[in-house]
Amino acid sequence: MSHPRAVTLLDSFAAAIQPRARVLDIGAGKGLLAQELARQLDARVTLVDVASYNQSALPLTICDSRALAFADDSFDYALLSFVLHHTCDPAAILREALRVARAVIVIENDVRGRVRAALTRAIDSWPALRYGTPPCYIAQPREAWMELFAQFPVETRLLREFSLEWGFFRNFTVMLTKDE
């Protein structure tokens, strides 16, 4: 059975990836997006996270995503779905994702304004209390995320802008492809 949020997230990047791809889902959470990716695109998905609250049938490995136990370019894609704002050092996570995959798909919040930023941090930190995951450290606009991506030797392509939770959360999906 499909989960509506997972379908929406997958729709934001599915056209940009190859079927049967090897995908590392970093910060996989409940695993529902990975499960949908495997179901719709026959992807071979590996799930990793800092805590275990996986609700999918896919196996999950608990690890520190700043030091992944995979060889360089082990995956076609690394997926960072709402992960980077949950770390104090998003560059470290992104660097490691780029090491283990040929391309990285990033889904993040596009947060504008102080009030929206405070509300986003509060709402998005709830899973930290419930599941033992890191809280929301960063609430910033898309342009600030793009500045982070520009620090890496990648081509950055905006795939989609979309909203979740009745339009409160503005989001975007980008594909980061390593420069050859």
Side-chain angles (χ1 to χ4, degrees), residues 37-60:
L37 184 57
R39 189 183 71 74
Q40 283 193 31
L41 297 177
D42 198 26
R44 294 168 287 161
V45 188
T46 301
L47 284 67
V48 297
D49 207 328
V50 297
S52 179
Y53 57 105
N54 183 13
Q55 296 175 6
S56 77
L58 300 169
L60 170 75

Side-chain angles (χ1 to χ4, degrees), residues 136-153:
C136 177
Y137 290 105
I138 302 169
Q140 63 187 15
R142 184 181 76 204
E143 293 77 18
W145 289 113
M146 297 303 253
E147 289 173 13
L148 170 67
F149 306 150
Q151 297 173 23
F152 292 87

Side-chain angles (χ1 to χ4, degrees), residues 94-154:
L94 188 54
R95 187 176 303 106
E96 191 64 356
L98 286 164
R99 182 186 68 77
V100 301
R102 293 184 300 109
V104 177
I105 299 158
V106 177
I107 305 172
E108 262 306 337
N109 295 318
D110 178 8
V111 182
R112 299 170 188 273
R114 286 186 192 175
V115 171
R116 189 173 287 273
L119 284 170
T120 298
R121 278 194 294 278
I123 292 167
D124 204 27
S125 292
W126 172 247
L129 300 172
R130 188 170 181 196
Y131 301 115
T133 61
C136 177
Y137 290 105
I138 302 169
Q140 63 187 15
R142 184 181 76 204
E143 293 77 18
W145 289 113
M146 297 303 253
E147 289 173 13
L148 170 67
F149 306 150
Q151 297 173 23
F152 292 87
V154 297

Side-chain angles (χ1 to χ4, degrees), residues 1 6 20 30 41 43 67 79 85 92 141 147 157 162 164 177:
M1 180 163 85
R20 294 176 298 287
K30 295 178 182 178
L41 297 177
L79 175 60
H85 64 262
E147 289 173 13
R157 183 168 50 122
F162 62 100
L164 294 171
T177 306

